[in-house]
Amino acid sequence: GSIAYGEINNLAYFDNIIIDNYNRFNVEYRNVWQLHANARYDKRINNLVSLNINADYYNWNEEVSHKPNLTFDISAPINLRDKIKVKPTFSYFGKRNSGVFQPDFKELPAQFHFNLGLQYNYSKILSAYLQLNNLNGSNKELWRDYQEIGFNGVFGLSYSF
C-alpha cells in the first residue's frame, strides 16, 4: 500500500453546464491538496486461481465534482494452462457530487459493476478476447444528466508481428 499527501496544481475535472437547450461540458482547473491512500493485495491461491484486490481512497481540501472518495476492484483471475484466461471482476465507484458550482447541485449514487473477461491464446502470435462489462445492468447517472451505458461487450483479436 501507499499513502501520499500533496498539492495538485491545475487538477482538471469536467462539469456539465446547461445553456438554453444545449448541454456543454466545462473544464475546471483547481489547486487542491489531496490525500491519496492505496491498498493492493495479490495472492496466487493455486495454479488455477489468483485473487487481486485494489482500493483507492481520496480526500481533498475542497469539493471536487464527479470524483469519488473511494474506489475498489476485486478480481479472481482463472488461468487454464495459459490458453484460456477468465477474469471475473467486481468494481465499486463511490458516491460523488455533481456540479459543485452549479445551482442544481446533487449527489450521484455509488456504482457497482460486475465484469467478465475471457481470453484465448491460440499461440504467442494470435489471441482473441471477449470483455463483458456491467453484467448486472446498472443504469445510474455517471455524470449529471448522463446515464451509464448499461450492459456492453467488446470482442477483439490480437496479432503480434
Side-chain angles (χ1 to χ4, degrees), residues 1-54:
S2 65
I3 295 177
Y5 183 76
E7 183 179 19
I8 298 181
N9 293 316
N10 297 321
L11 173 71
Y13 65 91
F14 294 90
D15 201 359
N16 59 334
I17 55 174
I18 300 171
I19 302 171
D20 295 327
N21 291 331
Y22 297 103
N23 202 1
R24 303 274 191 237
F25 279 91
N26 184 35
V27 65
E28 294 279 340
Y29 295 97
R30 295 264 181 231
N31 295 336
V32 296
W33 285 89
Q34 174 183 278
L35 170 67
H36 177 210
N38 173 266
R40 182 170 186 85
Y41 177 75
D42 295 314
K43 172 76 173 167
R44 185 174 178 167
I45 297 171
N46 56 33
N47 289 338
L48 260 68
V49 181
S50 299
L51 177 65
N52 303 330
I53 301 172
N54 187 51

Side-chain angles (χ1 to χ4, degrees), residues 89-121:
T89 304
F90 173 77
S91 299
Y92 172 80
F93 195 70
K95 292 180 185 179
R96 59 229 178 271
N97 297 315
S98 77
V100 173
F101 303 104
Q102 301 296 324
D104 58 342
F105 164 83
K106 67 180 178 179
E107 184 175 85
L108 298 175
Q111 296 168 312
F112 298 92
H113 289 168
F114 180 69
N115 304 323
L116 182 64
L118 303 166
Q119 182 175 349
Y120 175 70
N121 297 316

